[in-house]
């Protein structure tokens, strides 16, 4: 098992946020978005073959596989950006509150 180097207090204070503040949130967000990506890429593409409706001259399965997947990927990126912005605002507010809180005796 490789040895992980611990960060010094100086390195932590120099970073905008401590490295362990949002690791769990990052991992859950990435796992959820990757699950959505897998379902959209493989699930809907696979099951869309059974849809026999026509949208214009093409079957609905064509639209879902070619257009819906691309739109969903753009949506995934937008959700990730919004969530990361939210996490950063939460972390900045927590740091600001911690800096202005009176010290405990």
């Amino acid at each position: 098992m490789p040895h992980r180097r611990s960060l010094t207090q100086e390195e932590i204070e120099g970073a905008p946020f401590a490295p362990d503040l949002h690791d769990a949130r990052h991992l859950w967000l990435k796992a959820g978005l990757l699950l959505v990506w897998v379902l959209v890429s493989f699930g809907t593409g696979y099951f869309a073959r059974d849809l026999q409706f026509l949208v214009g001259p093409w079957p609905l399965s064509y639209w879902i596989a070619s257009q819906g997947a691309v739109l969903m990927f753009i949506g995934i990126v937008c959700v990730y950006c919004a969530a990361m912005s939210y996490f950063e605002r939460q972390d900045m507010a927590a740091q600001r509150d911690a800096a202005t809180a009176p010290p405990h005796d």
Side-chain angles (χ1 to χ4, degrees), residues 74-90:
I74 293 170
I76 288 171
V77 170
C78 291
V79 167
Y80 183 77
C81 289
M84 292 308 298
S85 177
Y86 176 73
F87 292 159
E88 287 180 4
R89 283 194 309 268
Q90 276 186 329

Side-chain angles (χ1 to χ4, degrees), residues 40-92:
V40 168
S41 295
F42 302 110
T44 58
Y46 179 77
F47 292 112
R49 296 184 295 188
D50 299 332
L51 299 174
Q52 300 300 321
F53 304 107
L54 291 177
V55 177
W58 295 284
L60 180 61
S61 60
Y62 167 78
W63 290 106
I64 289 176
S66 66
Q67 303 299 320
V70 172
L71 294 174
M72 195 63 179
F73 296 146
I74 293 170
I76 288 171
V77 170
C78 291
V79 167
Y80 183 77
C81 289
M84 292 308 298
S85 177
Y86 176 73
F87 292 159
E88 287 180 4
R89 283 194 309 268
Q90 276 186 329
D91 293 342
M92 286 181 5

